[in-house]
């Protein structure tokens, strides 16, 4: 896929975001996962069988997504090169989430600016996995900053990376991995065994993008005259503290760039999870840090886009 096509897909994402009434490949992937999980539940009655079923689901969903996209584009190429290129751009647009990430964060930040904590908690609950119904103002801001850092990797850097590496087929296979992990990649029942393969595959798929994201956050901090040195130091010293092998890297870089503390205890589905803290304990985040974080994320995404377009332009 050419760099210009990837750039056009990025522009479409910024202009259109993700209208819920439009057809979307990821929603179709989610529906397929749901049906496969229900089918697996009828026969996978032991931990070993559930692990095997989870591995089978992962291979079928990820491999099937890649094969369907590649077959579709190859068939369209035989009919019309123009339509094939247009389809490539549309499919690439569907894997990007830069505008959606900004819009979701902005809505929560606006509710906080109006001191409407119930609305802020409800809107935040649409974009994070943790329980939000009893979060304090500081807890909401902390969750916002963490999701900005993590979703820079999941929604911008990783899709651009896989688009450059293998076009829409590989990028949508990545989104299939992401969707599997978000639906069944939990350590708690009933997905502890069924989601094991999905979670490990997601860890592998995000290994490089998460570290690219951390480096981009540090570079963006330099451009925005924030603390690039501390971003690198916090990423290096504390990025591995997170329970995830990947999410802690960009979170640590963002915490260092802003000079705040992230991490700490959170509740997921009523279960308290105590995460290690990352960053400066004497600097709780405030709403002003959210605006700075948005600028960092936007700048980091722009740098990644330019790098990917240059990469594909030279290949």
């Amino acid at each position: 896929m050419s760099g210009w096509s990837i750039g056009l897909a990025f522009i479409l994402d910024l202009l259109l975001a993700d209208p819920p009434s439009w057809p979307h490949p990821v929603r179709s992937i989610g529906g397929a996962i749901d049906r496969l999980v229900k089918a697996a539940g009828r026969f996978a009655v032991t931990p070993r069988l559930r692990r095997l079923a989870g591995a089978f689901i992962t291979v079928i969903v990820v491999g099937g997504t890649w094969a369907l996209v590649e077959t579709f584009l190859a068939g369209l190429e035989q009919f019309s090169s123009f339509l094939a290129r247009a389809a490539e751009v549309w499919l690439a647009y569907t894997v990007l989430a830069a505008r959606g990430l900004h819009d979701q964060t902005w809505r929560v930040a606006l509710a906080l600016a109006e001191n409407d904590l119930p609305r802020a908690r409800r809107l935040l609950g649409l974009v994070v996995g943790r329980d939000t119904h009893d979060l304090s103002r500081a807890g909401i801001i902390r969750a916002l900053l963490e999701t900005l850092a993590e979703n820079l990797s999941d929604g911008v850097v990783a899709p651009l990376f896989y688009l450059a590496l293998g076009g829409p087929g590989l990028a949508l296979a990545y989104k299939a991995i992401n969707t599997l992990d978000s639906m069944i990649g939990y350590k708690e029942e009933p997905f502890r065994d069924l989601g094991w393969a999905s979670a490990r595959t997601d860890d592998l798929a995000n290994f490089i993008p998460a570290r690219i994201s951390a480096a981009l956050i540090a570079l963006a901090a330099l451009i925005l005259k924030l603390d690039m040195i501390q971003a690198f130091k916090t990423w290096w010293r504390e990025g591995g503290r997170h329970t995830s092998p990947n999410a802690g890297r960009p979170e640590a870089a963002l915490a260092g760039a802003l000079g705040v503390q992230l991490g700490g205890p959170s509740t997921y589905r009523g279960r308290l999870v105590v995460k290690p803290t990352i960053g400066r304990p004497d600097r709780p985040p405030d709403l002003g840090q959210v605006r700075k974080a948005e600028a960092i994320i936007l700048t980091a995404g722009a740098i990644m886009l330019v790098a990917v377009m240059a990469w594909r332009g030279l290949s």
Side-chain angles (χ1 to χ4, degrees):
M1 189 174 184
S2 73
W4 291 111
S5 294
I6 294 173
L8 180 56
F10 197 91
I11 291 171
L12 286 176
D13 175 61
L14 294 180
L15 292 174
L16 303 175
D18 179 18
S21 60
W22 289 16
H24 198 290
V26 174
R27 284 192 278 272
S28 299
I29 292 168
I33 294 168
D34 189 54
R35 288 190 290 273
L36 287 168
V37 167
K38 288 177 180 176
R42 290 195 286 269
F43 71 88
V45 294
T46 67
R48 183 171 180 272
L49 284 175
R50 283 193 290 272
R51 286 206 169 201
L52 287 172
F56 176 78
I57 290 171
T58 301
V59 170
I60 290 297
V61 171
V62 177
T65 298
W66 176 83
L68 281 171
V69 172
E70 291 296 324
T71 301
F72 169 70
L73 290 175
L76 204 56
E77 182 71 39
Q78 299 299 315
F79 178 72
S80 166
S81 293
F82 173 78
L83 287 179
R85 299 293 82 74
E88 274 190 343
V89 170
W90 179 75
L91 289 170
Y93 145 70
T94 66
V95 304
L96 295 165
R99 169 70 182 277
L101 177 59
H102 167 76
D103 288 353
Q104 291 158 355
T105 306
W106 179 82
R107 292 187 191 104
V108 179
L110 181 61
L112 286 173
E114 296 172 353
N115 293 314
D116 190 344
L117 289 187
R119 180 159 61 98
R121 293 182 186 116
R122 177 176 55 81
L123 291 170
L124 180 65
L126 300 176
V127 295
V128 300
R130 73 192 67 189
D131 300 338
T132 62
H133 53 81
D134 61 352
L135 284 180
S136 65
R137 181 183 181 87
I140 294 170
I141 293 171
R142 177 169 61 87
L144 264 185
L145 294 176
E146 290 172 6
T147 199
L148 275 168
E150 186 173 355
N151 285 316
L152 168 66
S153 181
D154 292 351
V156 181
V157 172
L160 285 172
F161 175 75
Y162 286 111
L163 281 170
L165 199 62
L170 189 60
L172 273 162
Y174 166 77
K175 295 303 288 186
I177 294 168
N178 233 206
T179 307
L180 276 162
D181 183 61
S182 67
M183 290 179 68
I184 65 173
Y186 297 100
K187 294 180 181 179
E188 299 81 28
E189 297 297 348
F191 299 122
R192 180 188 297 274
D193 296 303
L194 188 68
W196 179 85
S198 299
R200 297 293 77 75
T201 305
D202 186 76
D203 289 343
L204 182 62
N206 282 299
F207 186 87
I208 294 174
R211 286 149 182 82
I212 293 174
S213 298
L216 290 173
I217 286 171
L219 183 55
L222 173 65
I223 293 170
L224 296 170
K225 298 182 179 179
L226 296 169
D227 200 335
M228 181 195 73
I229 300 300
Q230 200 58 38
F232 270 116
K233 284 183 177 179
T234 309
W235 165 27
W236 182 258
R237 290 196 310 258
E238 304 178 40
R241 289 184 183 178
H242 200 284
T243 52
S244 162
N246 299 315
R249 270 63 184 187
E251 285 184 20
L254 186 63
L258 297 174
V260 300
Q261 185 178 81
L262 301 178
S266 296
T267 304
Y268 295 83
R269 299 184 176 188
R271 176 175 170 265
L272 180 65
V273 177
V274 180
K275 303 177 187 175
T277 55
I278 296 171
R280 288 179 56 177
D282 58 326
R283 290 285 300 277
D286 57 38
L287 192 56
Q289 305 296 344
V290 174
R291 297 187 180 97
K292 290 179 182 178
E294 286 182 325
I296 289 172
I297 299 307
L298 178 63
T299 304
I303 297 169
M304 183 66 183
L305 176 64
V306 170
V308 161
M309 291 180 67
W311 175 11
R312 291 309 306 164
L314 295 173
S315 62

